[in-house]
Amino acid sequence: MAGSTIYDIAKKAGVSIATVSRVVNNNEGIADKTREKVLKVADELGYYPQAYAQGLARKKKNIIMVVVPVLSNYFFMEVLAGIQDEISNYNYDLNIFNVQSNGKDNMFPQVENIIKRQWADGYLFISTHLRDTELEQLQNYDMPITLIDESYPGMDSVSVDNDEGIEKAMHYFLDNGITRIAIISAMKTSKPGRQRIEGYKKALNEAGVDVEEDLIVTGDSMYRDGFSEQNGYEAMIKLLELPNPPEACFCTSDIQAVGAMKAMEEKGVQIPIIGYDDITISNFIGLSTIRQPMYDMGALATKKLMKRMKNREAKPEHKVFAPELILRSSTETDVKEEA
């Protein structure tokens, strides 16, 4: 209820206005049961006063919390390396909270609960891909938050121009005369999955190439939201079993490309393939890829968060890195690279 006041809360909770005031200001002497009741009603009425946002007496905890949806994802691990190295320059401990998505729309309540509990002095969100309306709601809690791998006008952020990355991969194939290009996506309903499919379609449309829906595939395994070797393996098997298989393939992550390359090896087929991320293993297996500066993203986001914690009123800053196409042996087949 927009515009709710402590009077509304007191009436609905059946307590005095003084009790509500003491709860939202985190004063002592309130029974836990009463405190929980008042806070629950405050949430139901959408009441987020400055005093409530400052809750728990704003005691410094010397903790930075990283919030991630898929902790075992290789992308996250390399971003975390940058965070850990940078945070060692400050007097803060690092905690990691793994929110569970499993393709369900249940991430925001978990994230909101984390912020409400105020377990940390600042938060780094890695690829949580919350809606703008949800991020706006989190701003009501007045906690320092820096976003990684996404952006929102009201919060500091560090990201990569994904559209440019997909465009570079697709144009490489198209410029070399290949038009029947498949894309191995992760979970299609996820925000990054949708964005990369949209970028793929846009590149084909601009080149005057028809989009063939049977070339947009994902594996059946949704472990790590589909960003896994198994998903890439299963997707490539599907592509190679088509009556008219693709001439080349773009994968929405390197780790899916690893599985896809294994499938091609087993089938005795080799088509040009490009991944996305440039995780460490890509160099050792000769995988062409779109490089994201993952380590730098983590380090810079940590710096921005520390700066935000010192100056809460500063205008939000956004850094968008340019992705880089890295060519290796996986694109040599049937594609003549420029000298």
Side-chain angles (χ1 to χ4, degrees):
M1 181 187 301
S4 295
T5 68
I6 61 174
Y7 299 95
D8 300 312
I9 297 171
K11 182 178 179 179
K12 185 170 182 178
V15 299
S16 69
I17 295 172
T19 296
V20 176
S21 178
R22 292 171 68 188
V23 169
V24 298
N25 284 287
N26 202 47
N27 292 335
E28 297 180 356
I30 301 293
D32 290 343
K33 185 175 181 180
T34 300
R35 186 183 300 278
E36 290 175 4
K37 182 179 182 179
V38 170
L39 292 177
K40 181 179 179 181
V41 172
D43 282 344
E44 291 173 353
L45 295 179
Y47 180 73
Y48 305 110
Q50 185 71 10
Y52 179 68
Q54 290 176 342
L56 304 182
R58 239 341 156 201
K59 293 180 180 178
K60 189 176 181 181
K61 305 164 188 67
N62 291 100
I63 292 174
I64 297 300
M65 180 168 287
V66 174
V67 179
V68 296
V70 189
L71 185 58
S72 59
N73 185 293
Y74 290 87
F75 170 82
F76 297 141
M77 298 307 293
E78 298 205 24
V79 172
L80 279 172
I83 294 172
Q84 290 174 322
D85 285 353
E86 180 60 29
I87 210 168
S88 66
N89 297 318
Y90 306 88
N91 185 30
Y92 284 87
D93 292 324
L94 183 66
N95 285 353
I96 300 173
F97 194 97
N98 184 198
V99 292
Q100 303 297 317
S101 62
N102 300 319
K104 300 177 181 178
D105 191 19
N106 65 343
M107 190 179 295
F108 178 70
Q110 298 175 67
V111 173
E112 185 180 34
N113 187 53
I114 295 167
I115 301 298
K116 283 181 180 178
R117 291 177 179 270
Q118 299 193 21
W119 286 330
D121 299 300
Y123 299 81
L124 293 165
F125 286 9
I126 308 179
S127 303
T128 53
H129 300 303
L130 297 173
R131 299 183 181 93
D132 284 356
T133 53
E134 294 171 336
L135 291 170
E136 181 181 5
Q137 189 169 340
L138 292 182
Q139 286 185 293
N140 291 321
Y141 296 104
D142 191 31
M143 290 299 296
I145 298 172
T146 297
L147 307 177
I148 304 175
D149 190 35
E150 58 188 314
S151 63
Y152 171 69
M155 295 178 181
D156 297 313
S157 67
V158 177
S159 61
V160 171
D161 189 334
N162 282 307
D163 289 343
E164 182 181 346
I166 296 167
E167 182 178 318
K168 286 184 176 181
M170 295 297 291
H171 282 188
Y172 175 77
F173 289 137
L174 292 167
D175 290 347
N176 281 277
I178 294 179
T179 57
R180 189 168 170 74
I181 307 164
I183 179 173
I184 292 180
S185 173
M187 185 179 292
K188 294 182 180 180
T189 56
S190 68
K191 188 173 181 179
R194 292 196 308 271
Q195 288 177 335
R196 294 181 185 180
I197 289 174
E198 288 170 1
Y200 162 85
K201 290 181 176 180
K202 179 182 177 183
L204 290 178
N205 287 331
E206 290 179 349
V209 176
D210 292 335
V211 175
E212 300 180 51
E213 293 296 332
D214 62 346
L215 295 183
I216 303 174
V217 299
T218 186
D220 299 320
S221 172
M222 284 298 121
Y223 174 60
R224 302 180 193 151
D225 285 351
F227 290 106
S228 68
E229 300 91 330
Q230 184 64 29
N231 182 282
Y233 174 88
E234 294 167 352
M236 181 56 76
I237 291 295
K238 293 179 182 180
L239 288 171
L240 296 180
E241 290 179 348
L242 289 173
N244 185 13
E247 302 171 304
C249 181
F250 168 63
C251 294
T252 55
S253 71
D254 284 354
I255 204 60
Q256 289 171 287
V258 170
M261 292 171 74
K262 176 63 176 176
M264 288 192 291
E265 179 184 356
E266 290 184 1
K267 291 287 188 178
V269 177
Q270 188 175 6
I271 61 174
I273 186 169
I274 295 177
Y276 203 105
D277 287 333
D278 196 28
I279 60 177
T280 303
I281 193 175
S282 300
N283 182 49
F284 292 95
I285 63 173
L287 174 63
S288 293
T289 185
I290 298 298
R291 173 180 290 166
Q292 298 195 85
M294 297 167 285
Y295 179 95
D296 293 340
M297 290 168 68
L300 180 58
T302 305
K303 289 180 181 178
K304 286 185 177 295
L305 181 61
M306 293 298 174
K307 183 178 178 181
R308 171 62 51 191
M309 288 162 57
K310 291 181 179 179
N311 185 359
R312 305 289 289 276
E313 303 303 320
K315 183 178 179 181
E317 297 180 351
H318 309 283
K319 171 63 178 180
V320 181
F321 284 97
E324 181 182 359
L325 174 61
I326 306 298
L327 297 176
R328 300 188 177 110
S329 59
S330 73
T331 46
E332 291 178 356
T333 303
D334 296 330
V335 176
K336 295 181 180 180
E337 300 178 11
E338 295 180 7

